[in-house]
Amino acid sequence: MIRDVDISLSPEEAASASSILAIASRKAGGSADDFTIIRKSIDARRQDVKIQMRIRLYYGEKKLGPESVSFKDAGKGKAIVVGAGPAGLFASLTLLEHGIAPILIERGKSVRERLRDTALLSQKGILDPESNYAFGEGGAGAFSDGKLYTRSSKRGDAGKVLRLFVQFGADEEILYDSHPHIGSDKLPGIIENMRCEIIRHGGDVRFSTLVAGLVRKGDETIGVRLSSGEEIIAPVILATGHSAKDVYYSLQSSGYSLEAKSTAVGVRVEHKQSLIDAMQYHRKDRGLYLPPASYSFVTQVNGRGVYSFCMCPGGSIVPASTEEGHLVVNGMSPKSRRGEFANSGIVVELRCSDLPEKDPFAMLRYIEDIERRCWNPGFAAPAERLVDFIEDKAPSVIRTTYHPGVVPTRLDDVLPPIISSSLRDGLKAFGRMSRSRFITDDALLIAPETRTSSPIRILRDEGMKQGRGLYPAGEGAGYAGGIVSAAIDGTEAALSLMGDYYGQ
Ligand SMILES: Cc1cc2nc3c(=O)[nH]c(=O)nc-3n(C[C@H](O)[C@H](O)[C@H](O)COP(=O)(O)OP(=O)(O)OC[C@H]3O[C@@H](n4cnc5c(N)ncnc54)[C@H](O)[C@@H]3O)c2cc1C
């Protein structure tokens, strides 16, 4: 017999398998032999923090593990996938589930080599424009925090994406945690496992290979042209992310349809993790059994959304630039999230109607201008204490995880007024929501957070394609944001391509 039961536990009880089994059995009746966790969340609304769980109890039955996906040896045809981020990797895996060989082309290096390049950038301020926090195997997702929530579950199968992450090495807890998280230290191994599976079944993976343009025959896209001049002929899934500006320019010059897209721009805020724990758990110390706390804030300032974005408990702030002379920051955290600091993007909604120009590149130019104004040699970032920014005082800085260093700067001088004024009012609102705990002398703002989503959309029709043969997918296409939604989008693009070309 199998029975599901909901229980509410203290953090200490929730950390012990024998306590979970005993408490769930007592509530359901009878003495169960084993259990699995179906759902887990933290209820921190009151002083007495509880862990809520849905437990599946097994009475005299073998417990089932998560379903796994099997891949076929390729032999039924081929497709080109440009970009080995989440969208490109999941597109490639989906093709192989159906026996179609992906030719996965990635401008950057393998994820292990990227580790060296990102360390050089963080520690010495030396950027490799083809191998950094955005470009290379795993894409922007590789050194991300690996938070895996998405709002796009209406379309596609987010559960399958999580199961595939587990199949390739992620902890099973991502299947039931209400805030699943893999960690920047675990992601590279998982990505390598995916690549090995793709190659083992006959896929071709090419690193340090730049797609310079698409090959067209009339209205049909029939393949890609590499920077070496080589042409590869097959239908194309274009999953190049939102930082590959050269791809947008090349598409425009070849007559493809693009449009400007709304996005959100702001800063990273960094607090002591202990302060966030105290704010969220209503106690001085989170103790041994609660995880480092996270937060989520959202408000409206004069009809414009201001919200926290991609919060990284126990994490660090990193330079996510892809070019010299442009500064972009982002955040990541390891699996344990045991670092001393917590960071989060605090961003302001930016609409196309805010910009005077209306062409497809208007939003891209706008954010590039901010990135240029924020740049300092060696990728040092403009920064200002949160209280100085709010009170409009002379800027001072404090200790931070951002390795290339910070330059005390009035953020009003580097951010456009529409962003800085909404940011100031939004931060004040978050202060009120947190009974002033968010606004503290120990919080630092670091600018700019500009690549929250793509500033351009590559238009596509119902079948997820533009004309015959081109399937723009993932965050760079402008229809997805975040690891899971990019992975779902890549999966759906592969299904659409197989329907059109291979009758699957
Ligand atoms: C530091 C950081 C932390 C993040 N944290 C999170 C998080 O915790 N959770 C979350 O959901 N999201 C997070 N994100 C965002 C997430 O990583 C992206 O939404 C996601 O990676 C988008 O996937 P994608 O496959 O569409 O594009 P990308 O991941 O950007 O991949 C595109 C790939 O295409 C390659 N490429 C580009 N142009 C070419 C070309 N011409 N030829 C060949 N290859 C090319 C690039 O090198 C890149 O590898 C984070 C991002 C960063 C930078």
Side-chain angles (χ1 to χ4, degrees):
M1 183 175 64
I2 292 176
R3 185 176 286 175
D4 289 353
V5 61
D6 292 331
I7 55 175
S8 176
L9 305 171
S10 71
E12 186 172 359
E13 287 166 338
S16 150
S18 57
S19 298
I20 297 171
L21 184 61
I23 294 167
S25 294
R26 202 179 314 135
K27 176 140 186 217
S31 171
D33 304 303
D34 213 339
F35 73 95
T36 49
I37 304 172
I38 307 291
R39 248 196 333 250
K40 179 180 175 186
S41 59
I42 299 175
D43 182 355
R45 282 171 300 177
R46 281 179 283 275
Q47 199 92 22
D48 181 22
V49 176
K50 289 289 184 197
I51 311 295
Q52 311 288 5
M53 285 185 177
R54 173 158 296 171
I55 300 295
R56 179 157 296 165
L57 292 165
Y58 296 85
Y59 300 80
E61 293 209 29
K62 204 162 167 278
K63 90 173 170 188
L64 302 172
E67 282 166 47
S68 62
V69 175
S70 52
F71 300 97
K72 297 192 180 118
D73 286 345
K76 292 192 188 164
K78 62 182 181 180
I80 298 164
V81 179
V82 190
L89 284 169
F90 278 77
S92 301
L93 291 169
T94 306
L95 292 167
L96 274 177
E97 238 185 292
H98 298 85
I100 309 297
I103 304 165
L104 178 56
I105 303 174
E106 170 54 54
R107 72 193 298 160
K109 300 181 192 167
S110 74
V111 71
R112 290 287 145 192
E113 291 173 286
R114 278 180 84 190
L115 280 168
R116 280 196 300 274
D117 295 327
T118 51
L120 257 183
L121 174 57
S122 281
Q123 282 155 26
K124 303 228 160 90
I126 299 169
L127 173 78
D128 179 340
E130 298 298 333
S131 178
N132 45 55
Y133 282 99
F135 291 165
E137 186 184 20
F143 303 106
S144 70
D145 194 39
K147 284 179 294 295
L148 298 176
Y149 17 98
T150 179
R151 280 168 291 179
S152 68
S153 54
K154 275 185 245 134
R155 194 173 57 77
D157 187 350
K160 183 171 176 188
V161 170
L162 299 185
R163 287 196 298 280
L164 277 168
F165 271 118
V166 170
Q167 188 168 333
F168 289 105
D171 277 357
E172 277 189 29
E173 67 188 26
I174 65 168
L175 300 177
Y176 55 76
D177 208 311
S178 62
H179 289 91
H181 162 244
I182 293 182
S184 48
D185 47 341
K186 300 284 174 200
L187 279 159
I190 294 168
I191 290 162
E192 278 180 328
N193 291 342
M194 288 181 177
R195 180 224 309 159
C196 291
E197 188 76 353
I198 291 169
I199 293 172
R200 197 160 71 84
H201 288 286
D204 181 7
V205 181
R206 303 193 191 180
F207 294 126
S208 301
T209 304
L210 180 76
V211 167
L214 300 175
V215 184
R216 288 183 105 169
K217 198 173 175 187
D219 278 346
E220 184 175 359
T221 301
I222 58 166
V224 297
R225 196 183 61 262
L226 306 182
S227 55
S228 62
E230 183 191 347
E231 288 187 355
I232 305 174
I233 303 302
V236 181
I237 295 173
L238 189 72
T240 43
H242 60 25
S243 291
K245 300 176 202 170
D246 50 348
V247 172
Y248 296 125
Y249 286 111
S250 159
L251 287 171
Q252 193 201 33
S253 67
S254 303
Y256 290 93
S257 305
L258 310 173
E259 69 179 17
K261 192 183 132 299
S262 301
T263 183
V265 170
V267 295
R268 279 262 142 193
V269 62
E270 190 164 64
H271 290 84
K272 287 268 175 64
Q273 181 63 48
S274 54
L275 186 137
I276 303 301
D277 292 341
M279 179 176 94
Q280 298 298 75
Y281 294 144
H282 332 285
R283 53 176 86 173
K284 242 182 149 184
D285 180 355
R286 74 168 182 269
L288 285 179
Y289 300 103
L290 283 170
S294 59
Y295 60 80
S296 166
F297 287 118
V298 55
T299 190
Q300 292 276 319
V301 174
N302 300 326
R304 189 180 296 281
V306 181
Y307 54 94
S308 60
F309 173 80
C310 183
M311 201 254 148
C312 303
S316 51
I317 302 181
V318 296
S321 301
T322 46
E323 335 154 62
E324 201 67 33
H326 290 239
L327 187 72
V328 186
V329 297
N330 211 311
M332 65 182 211
S333 65
K335 167 129 183 65
S336 72
R337 289 179 159 169
R338 297 277 171 207
E340 187 186 345
F341 292 92
N343 71 74
S344 176
I346 304 287
V347 294
V348 177
E349 186 189 353
L350 199 55
R351 306 184 195 110
C352 295
S353 55
D354 295 324
L355 309 185
E357 292 147 336
K358 301 294 168 208
D359 65 285
F361 289 82
M363 187 63 82
L364 175 62
R365 283 195 303 274
Y366 189 86
I367 64 171
E368 278 187 309
D369 186 46
I370 299 172
E371 292 174 4
R372 267 191 228 103
R373 274 192 274 154
C374 288
W375 192 79
N376 293 289
F379 295 90
E384 180 174 18
R385 279 191 320 151
L386 174 52
V387 284
D388 297 340
F389 177 67
I390 284 186
E391 291 164 17
D392 208 7
K393 285 202 215 142
S396 56
V397 295
I398 47 173
R399 199 158 62 88
T400 167
T401 58
Y402 184 73
H403 254 293
V406 289
V407 181
T409 307
R410 255 185 214 279
L411 295 184
D412 287 297
D413 292 342
V414 288
L415 297 174
I418 195 173
I419 304 294
S420 59
S421 64
S422 306
L423 201 56
R424 184 172 280 109
D425 288 346
L427 286 164
K428 285 181 188 164
F430 300 159
R432 290 191 292 276
M433 291 173 199
S434 64
R435 288 195 230 115
S436 296
R437 281 174 290 190
F438 196 72
I439 310 293
T440 150
D441 284 348
D442 283 341
L444 187 66
L445 303 180
I446 299 189
E449 173 102 17
T450 41
R451 301 204 191 157
T452 54
S453 71
S454 177
I456 292 185
R457 182 172 287 124
I458 307 173
L459 295 177
R460 59 189 194 192
D461 65 21
E462 297 269 298
M464 296 187 71
K465 51 186 180 278
Q466 192 174 131
R468 187 169 158 80
L470 178 65
Y471 301 80
E475 189 152 23
Y479 296 88
I483 296 171
V484 175
S485 82
I488 292 174
D489 207 55
T491 303
E492 303 260 310
L495 291 172
S496 179
L497 181 151
M498 288 187 292
D500 292 342
Y501 282 83
Y502 298 110
Q504 306 235 5

